[in-house]
Amino acid sequence: MDSEALRKYSALHPKPAGLTLQYGTAGFRTKAEQLDHIVFRMGLLAILRSKAVTATIGIMVTASHNPEEDNGVKLVDPLGEMLHPSWEEYATQLANAEEQELQKVITEICQKAAVNLHKDASVFIGRDTRPSSKKLSQSVIDGIQVLGGQYHDYGLVTTPQLHYMVCCQNTQGQYGKATLEGYYEKLSKAFMELIKQSHCSGESQRHLKIDCANGIGALKLSEMKAYFPQEVLIHIYNDGTKEKLNHLCGADFVKVHQKPPGGLDMKPNERCCSFDGDADRIVYYYKDTAGHFHLIDGDKIATLISIFLKELLAKVKQNFKMAVVQTAYANGNSTRYLQETLKVPVHCVKTGVKHLHHKAQEFDVGVYFEANGHGTVLFSKAAETKIRQLVKEEKDDEKREAAKMLENMIDLINQTVGDAVSDMLVIEAILALKGLTVQQWDALYTDLPNRLLKVQVADRRVIDTTDAERRALTPPGLQEKIDALVKKYKLSRAFVRPSGTEDVVRIYAEADTQENADALAHEVSLAVFHLAGGKGAPPQP
């Protein structure tokens, strides 16, 4: 390690006094002007991680659905997964080290993680369209060069595209070609193969309006358009040419406000969807003839995909284990529908993509989505090998056709991470193959009315939960109080959990009517305020 170079470059990316940040599920996120030293140091960390695992590591500069002034950075592990939890701690230590301690912290990480500094290292870099992203990714490169690593800068890409590239590179091309063309070709080919098998014509069925949150999704979707034949009619809105990133648009805005984005004119019964700022989340929606807005969130996306996959799996007659993974935020009626009507096992895990991804890996076919629209499907190596073998060798026509569809689904789905572009193509293919309208999809089940609230507390750590965050262990008496409140309402449930980022407690309640869901959420928020050290005035209904 060249201490002189480290000192020199570190001085060019000084750490603001008194600033401490935590590496979380989304990496680091804050105001863009506070990030320069962080991204420089994540360039250093990516090299250490690459040397530790002898593989290419990814670095993405993005703050996803946050406002345009913010930015962030996160690392991508060798198979396109999120950074290993033990390294999240190293990231936090390195980011918060004072300048004179930098070399010491790097040496400590090398010892703890058995990093051989003489090994080769390589990093893939990507960034979103924020005004601050280009300069920040240059700072990443400074960090990489100090420790003498190779890098490839992909420039403007969606977050899932970078995850994909890293996975392709480290599987020696088995997962695909580590280029944008490779990504577009693999997905468009699988999509075209799938819809070739659809009997649904009807021009209106193929129109889709897409709100790209004025972000990277618009650029990449425009590039991908060239790979589709004429009959795929996608119309891009909020393409970033006029308005600010994520401002009054995007998947997060639509989900939180339960209303259509600005910049997109909706006619009754038109199928529309929204990506978030870095294109790793998607939600669908439409307006009915009476002008009512209907949101189709991650729960309903998971349900549609599960119906389709379950039918195909039944046809290939293999003993594959399939399951859906949700969090406590999944609507109770989605869970009921999956378990009781579809007869698919459902597992509930703690909030956070890494928990869902990890659980989904336990099955031959694991479908996971958060209600916010982030999700994907994972296929076990054994299931994938068997399906590809059936396509080649199966004599029975029906079995072989079903296996062929499954094979195309495997190629169309980005298994590394939630991917709005890939998920959109999966949904569009399923709707076409099943001849479903957006209204018929929405009518599979009706969401239970629900309400999300938050209560400010002095210290969020007073709340400790169990049972995938569905029950509170501390403070004493809180869970008993929630149980008593829930008993007052029909079809109701409620849970509380500490925020991962700020001193607030998040509350979720659902019940048979909106009025009851609101009342239950309010009563639970009062219980939290009184028993868990609420700050300021008590919550008002």
Side-chain angles (χ1 to χ4, degrees):
M1 186 171 25
D2 182 344
S3 351
E4 195 42 52
L6 182 65
R7 226 185 5 258
K8 194 178 104 189
Y9 273 94
S10 179
L12 296 174
H13 304 282
K15 172 180 171 294
L19 180 71
T20 53
L21 290 171
Q22 180 88 24
Y23 192 103
T25 303
F28 291 108
R29 266 187 213 173
T30 185
K31 291 272 168 276
E33 60 271 15
Q34 297 184 323
L35 271 170
D36 185 58
H37 70 295
I38 299 266
V39 291
F40 165 71
R41 293 168 180 205
M42 288 310 101
L44 301 171
L45 191 75
I47 290 296
L48 299 181
R49 179 71 179 148
S50 174
K51 288 174 188 280
V53 291
T54 334
T56 297
I57 294 296
I59 281 203
M60 185 71 197
V61 176
T62 180
S64 187
H65 55 274
N66 283 34
E68 191 170 86
E69 306 69 67
D70 293 359
N71 217 324
V73 60
K74 62 178 179 181
L75 271 66
V76 179
D77 253 358
L79 292 178
E81 2 49 334
M82 294 175 145
L83 183 63
H84 191 277
S86 62
W87 280 73
E88 288 185 5
E89 281 185 40
Y90 301 151
T92 302
Q93 286 162 9
L94 194 58
N96 296 322
E98 292 309 326
E99 228 145 302
Q100 61 277 14
E101 293 176 342
L102 211 48
Q103 186 163 355
K104 185 170 133 263
V105 174
I106 290 172
T107 308
E108 278 169 14
I109 293 171
C110 289
Q111 283 164 352
K112 280 188 204 151
V115 178
N116 177 353
L117 282 175
H118 301 295
K119 281 201 168 159
D120 288 341
S122 93
V123 178
F124 282 0
I125 308 165
R127 66 174 192 272
D128 72 8
T129 54
R130 291 164 196 270
S132 58
S133 292
K134 191 167 177 156
K135 186 171 173 298
L136 288 172
S137 68
Q138 197 46 59
S139 304
V140 168
I141 293 170
D142 281 357
I144 290 168
Q145 289 180 319
V146 166
L147 289 181
Q150 299 289 314
Y151 69 91
H152 181 81
D153 185 2
Y154 282 91
L156 293 164
V157 285
T158 70
T159 297
Q161 283 174 335
L162 186 76
H163 284 255
Y164 177 93
M165 306 297 175
V166 171
C167 183
C168 291
Q169 180 69 11
N170 290 315
T171 55
Q172 285 69 52
Q174 264 182 300
Y175 194 64
K177 282 207 276 282
T179 62
L180 275 173
E181 295 72 38
Y183 172 91
Y184 296 142
E185 278 164 12
K186 180 179 170 182
L187 268 64
S188 57
K189 180 173 172 283
F191 178 71
M192 296 319 304
E193 287 287 322
L194 270 171
I195 60 169
K196 244 200 304 212
Q197 295 164 286
S198 102
H199 312 296
C200 138
S201 48
E203 175 115 330
S204 66
Q205 267 305 84
R206 289 193 304 265
H207 279 279
L208 174 67
K209 288 185 168 177
I210 307 162
D211 152 35
C212 288
N214 290 311
I216 185 71
L219 281 179
K220 300 296 131 181
L221 212 46
S222 310
E223 289 174 7
M224 195 171 185
K225 261 184 156 177
Y227 292 81
F228 292 126
Q230 280 358 92
E231 63 256 34
V232 180
L233 304 166
I234 52 180
H235 309 280
I236 297 173
Y237 295 83
N238 296 324
D239 63 0
T241 51
K242 301 185 197 64
E243 294 288 339
K244 278 173 77 168
L245 176 72
N246 296 326
H247 181 60
L248 304 179
C249 62
D252 197 59
F253 172 84
V254 174
K255 169 78 177 145
V256 171
H257 297 280
Q258 305 268 329
K259 65 180 190 190
L264 186 150
D265 170 40
M266 281 170 81
K267 297 189 176 63
N269 295 332
E270 276 187 333
R271 199 164 68 255
C272 305
C273 68
S274 285
F275 293 0
D276 70 337
D278 63 340
D280 64 357
R281 291 186 192 182
I282 184 171
V283 295
Y284 270 70
Y285 45 91
Y286 68 97
K287 250 188 194 155
D288 61 26
T289 40
H292 296 302
F293 176 78
H294 295 253
L295 175 72
I296 299 178
D297 65 5
D299 298 338
K300 241 175 211 165
I301 292 172
T303 305
L304 178 73
I305 294 173
S306 301
I307 290 171
F308 185 68
L309 291 176
K310 187 170 187 228
E311 285 171 6
L312 292 177
L313 292 171
K315 284 180 188 163
V316 295
K317 298 188 170 57
Q318 298 295 315
N319 233 342
F320 292 139
K321 274 173 63 182
M322 173 177 165
V324 176
V325 187
Q326 297 183 323
T327 70
Y329 286 111
N331 195 277
N333 275 356
S334 76
T335 313
R336 237 172 245 124
Y337 180 87
L338 286 162
Q339 286 175 323
E340 292 166 20
T341 309
L342 260 194
K343 306 272 188 281
V344 170
V346 177
H347 297 267
C348 186
V349 298
K350 279 169 69 171
T351 305
V353 180
K354 58 185 172 192
H355 302 299
L356 290 137
H357 193 89
H358 192 69
K359 186 71 184 172
Q361 288 173 321
E362 293 176 18
F363 309 98
D364 289 311
V365 182
V367 180
Y368 76 81
F369 270 83
E370 290 187 295
N372 64 25
H374 186 287
T376 186
V377 184
L378 305 184
F379 293 86
S380 71
K381 206 75 216 125
E384 183 179 331
T385 307
K386 186 69 192 162
I387 287 162
R388 295 198 193 274
Q389 184 193 344
L390 287 171
V391 173
K392 289 196 186 82
E393 299 167 11
E394 181 54 58
K395 303 283 183 282
D396 177 272
D397 285 354
E398 193 192 21
K399 259 192 185 177
R400 194 179 58 252
E401 277 302 291
K404 183 85 194 110
M405 277 196 185
L406 282 167
E407 181 176 52
N408 284 317
M409 284 296 273
I410 290 170
D411 290 336
L412 183 54
I413 289 163
N414 185 344
Q415 293 185 57
T416 63
V417 72
D419 182 338
V421 174
S422 155
D423 289 340
M424 174 191 83
L425 295 172
V426 167
I427 292 162
E428 290 302 303
I430 295 173
L431 293 176
L433 285 162
K434 294 189 69 62
L436 285 173
T437 64
V438 67
Q439 299 83 335
Q440 289 168 315
W441 173 20
D442 187 31
L444 288 172
Y445 62 83
T446 307
D447 276 326
L448 280 172
N450 54 79
R451 177 63 63 208
L452 284 160
L453 293 175
K454 52 186 188 183
V455 175
Q456 285 214 303
V457 290
D459 179 4
R460 66 181 184 267
R461 290 170 301 189
V462 301
I463 299 234
D464 191 21
T465 64
T466 183
D467 187 23
E469 303 180 311
R470 289 176 290 189
R471 297 188 68 74
L473 290 170
T474 61
L478 178 60
Q479 188 57 51
E480 292 74 12
K481 182 74 181 154
I482 294 171
D483 291 342
L485 293 169
V486 165
K487 283 202 180 95
K488 291 165 53 179
Y489 303 98
K490 278 195 191 127
L491 297 175
S492 63
R493 67 182 183 104
F495 67 88
V496 302
R497 54 179 285 273
S499 156
T501 49
E502 48 187 333
D503 278 322
V504 299
V505 175
R506 301 191 188 282
I507 289 148
Y508 177 88
E510 61 185 32
D512 58 341
T513 66
Q514 190 62 57
E515 204 180 352
N516 287 345
D518 289 349
L520 176 58
H522 176 63
E523 289 168 341
V524 171
S525 71
L526 282 174
V528 168
F529 184 85
H530 292 304
L531 293 169
K535 270 173 74 177
Q540 297 304 309

